[in-house]
Amino acid sequence: MDKLEIIGKPPGMPGTGLVGTLPIRGAKNAALPIQCAALLGSGLTRLRHVPKLTDVSTMNRLLREVGCAVEVIADTDGRTVEIDPRGVAQGSLEAPYEMVKTMRASVTVMGPLLARYGRARVSLPGGCAIGARPIDQHLKGLQALGAKVTLEHGYVDLEAKRLTGGRFLFDKVTVGGTQNVMMAAALAKGHTTLENVAREPEVEELALFLNKMGAQISGAGTPTIEIDGVDELSGIDHAILPDRIEAGTFAVAAAITRGDVLLEHAPVDHMHAIIDTLVAAGAECRVEAGGLRVIGPERLRPFDVVTRPHPGFPTDMQAQIMVLATMADGASVIRETIFENRFMHVPELNRLGANIVVNGNTAVVRGPTKYSGTTVMATDLRASASLVLAGLVARGTTEVRRVYHIDRGYEAIEARLCPLGAQMSRYHGGGA
Ligand code: EPZ
């Protein structure tokens, strides 16, 4: 397993601040559901600005597994992917355990396979580091459209000759659940109303993608989505929108290192809660023609954050913003309301020298922290990003192990940060 070695520079040391321009890549959490939505088309779909991430490659493998032809176009630096679903009818229509346990987002093939091919068999995802992550809402929503659902031997089997439109109220706001049911309803017969849906930008982006394919969807981005089912959807050409969580992560890197970084193409309109928090902490955030410029101050102020469904503060930024809080003069309070176990980064940050106390779903963070480098273990995608951030401002060397977690959501993070002044190296097979 690879490891990252970071030679940190505590703020105030000469050359600490990250400086320069950083292009923001396509959003992982937009690409993955859109890769699934390509299954709905009757022809080839071409996706551009696709991030080069292991999760995207895993999804490409899953699409091939169910019978798609998937090609990553080499001369586009690997950022263009062509997906042709015309071979699926003879495919397995199954998302096997090995795939789903590697990447939970695999369950988002259920809706498209069921709607387009009348059948789907998907391994139950099981839990992951950050929580139990059930899919009950996905299944209830698909049943509301007429799907026959059976659960046995750890798999869910879904069947429907043709889905019929209906009304479904989500008991809980779920991004993946909203996306799965919306994709299925796009090809159902009749009208569907989905209430208490997720309002994340990636849900809006998926609705935009489906409408470009010929779907009739309105209300995405609001609590209620209306869908008039159609008989056929076509393959299209689409560019993936920039990643607000990647942009937020690198914004924190600029803020804690007293840097000055232009986050090129940053989707500012989807980042208000993140930007508001950075500004509350004392960072300067300037919207510029090319994106978002973030300038880190001499001193950071403490702040409070509660994670919420969009447009609230995103849970995917909780670990990273906690590092910002560790560098502030005073006590900050961070409450995680989306996942039941998303403080796995806290013990590792404390090993680096942070002073964070967790009580239930609330963390009290006291700063400023004089981080000192040591060996730490990544546990999940965003927790590992927070360890890299802390390593940037630690005295001495920080070794982050199991960086495969980072590679799931950040393209070659060392190649992105070194040009801005970070000192990072990757060692292949560098330890458990
Ligand atoms: C998406 O996961 C994202 N992943 C996650 O990002 C993100 O943290 C999450 O949304 C919340 O914003 C992708 O888009 C690929 P949910 P998803 O269904 O859809 C509970 C990252 O770091 N729930 O909105 O799986 C669930 O347990 C990843 O990029 C049910 O109870 O999240 C959780 O507590 C991590 N029943 C809450 O809802 C269900 O049927 C939100 O989960 C579904 C979900």
Side-chain angles (χ1 to χ4, degrees):
M1 295 180 197
D2 290 4
K3 69 177 180 180
L4 282 177
E5 212 165 74
I6 307 162
I7 299 173
K9 298 176 197 164
M13 269 178 70
T16 310
L18 298 182
V19 177
T21 297
L22 183 58
I24 297 303
R25 300 297 185 205
K28 168 178 82 78
N29 293 349
L32 295 174
I34 282 174
Q35 285 172 276
C36 297
L39 285 163
L40 292 165
S42 52
L44 183 137
T45 279
R46 179 177 299 105
L47 302 177
R48 290 176 289 110
H49 301 176
V50 179
K52 295 197 290 186
L53 303 170
T54 47
D55 272 9
V56 169
S57 310
T58 302
M59 186 62 85
N60 284 338
R61 274 205 320 278
L62 175 57
L63 292 175
R64 290 188 187 104
E65 180 91 14
V66 299
C68 287
V70 180
E71 192 186 346
V72 178
I73 312 298
D75 65 355
T76 62
D77 191 20
R79 297 185 199 290
T80 298
V81 178
E82 291 185 350
I83 300 168
D84 188 340
R86 280 172 285 199
V88 172
Q90 294 72 39
S92 73
L93 303 184
E94 175 173 327
Y97 176 67
E98 293 67 37
M99 290 265 178
V100 179
K101 87 171 155 62
T102 330
M103 182 185 64
R104 191 183 174 285
S106 310
V107 298
T108 325
V109 294
M110 275 193 295
L113 287 177
L114 181 64
R116 179 89 167 69
Y117 304 98
R119 199 164 47 80
R121 177 172 164 74
V122 175
S123 163
L124 285 168
C128 75
I130 61 178
R133 304 187 74 183
I135 58 169
D136 57 300
Q137 296 299 304
H138 298 236
L139 301 179
K140 282 181 189 164
L142 294 172
Q143 281 172 314
L145 302 181
K148 178 173 169 292
V149 176
T150 45
L151 293 169
E152 58 181 7
H153 308 305
Y155 276 76
V156 54
D157 284 289
L158 304 106
E159 269 182 272
K161 280 222 176 336
R162 170 130 196 226
L163 294 171
T164 48
R167 193 186 66 76
F168 180 65
L169 168 69
F170 284 91
D171 300 337
K172 186 160 191 157
V173 173
T174 155
V175 172
T178 301
Q179 293 169 331
N180 237 335
V181 183
M182 179 167 70
M183 285 190 280
L187 279 181
K189 189 169 179 50
H191 185 83
T192 295
T193 300
L194 301 179
E195 294 175 285
N196 193 31
V197 297
R199 299 166 55 193
E200 269 64 10
E202 294 76 25
V203 170
E204 280 192 78
E205 176 77 358
L206 177 61
L208 170 72
F209 179 84
L210 291 168
N211 284 342
K212 279 172 68 175
M213 295 178 90
Q216 306 281 323
I217 299 172
S218 59
T222 76
T224 301
I225 289 178
E226 303 287 352
I227 302 152
D228 283 318
V230 296
D231 296 332
E232 189 176 353
L233 294 171
S234 51
I236 58 164
D237 188 303
H238 185 76
I240 302 292
L241 89 165
D243 193 323
R244 61 195 171 101
I245 303 301
E246 176 182 275
T249 303
F250 294 137
V252 170
I256 60 175
T257 59
R258 301 182 189 172
D260 179 344
V261 177
L262 175 66
L263 302 168
E264 210 173 26
H265 319 310
V268 174
D269 290 345
H270 301 151
M271 297 176 65
H272 294 310
I274 299 170
I275 292 169
D276 291 351
T277 306
L278 286 162
V279 170
E284 189 180 340
C285 294
R286 270 191 234 143
V287 179
E288 297 186 356
L292 177 69
R293 181 180 294 282
V294 180
I295 299 169
E298 290 285 305
R299 311 299 303 171
L300 286 163
R301 296 189 292 264
F303 54 87
D304 295 341
V305 158
V306 181
T307 63
R308 297 276 187 221
H310 193 77
F313 189 89
T315 176
D316 290 351
M317 274 295 301
Q318 182 256 103
Q320 302 91 303
I321 213 75
M322 190 175 283
V323 177
L324 184 69
T326 63
M327 301 302 285
D329 297 334
S332 302
V333 178
I334 296 175
R335 194 148 63 86
E336 171 58 57
T337 69
I338 307 295
F339 290 107
E340 61 269 31
N341 186 35
R342 204 168 195 177
F343 284 141
M344 311 274 277
H345 43 287
V346 171
E348 296 302 292
L349 290 174
N350 284 340
R351 290 188 59 244
L352 284 164
N355 176 0
I356 307 166
V357 177
V358 169
N359 187 347
N361 70 346
T362 301
V364 178
V365 184
R366 289 183 176 83
T369 301
K370 290 192 183 331
Y371 280 114
S372 60
T374 185
T375 299
V376 287
M377 191 76 78
T379 52
D380 61 273
L381 167 53
R382 306 305 174 180
S384 38
S386 74
L387 301 179
V388 170
L389 292 172
L392 292 174
V393 291
R395 194 167 31 78
T397 301
T398 298
E399 186 181 286
V400 182
R401 293 192 175 172
R402 297 187 181 173
V403 289
Y404 62 86
H405 288 293
I406 297 181
D407 296 336
R408 295 189 55 177
Y410 296 89
E411 244 186 62
I413 195 164
E414 70 279 11
R416 314 282 294 285
L417 293 176
C418 288
L420 304 180
Q423 280 187 271
M424 298 170 72
S425 325
R426 179 184 291 255
Y427 293 89
H428 297 295

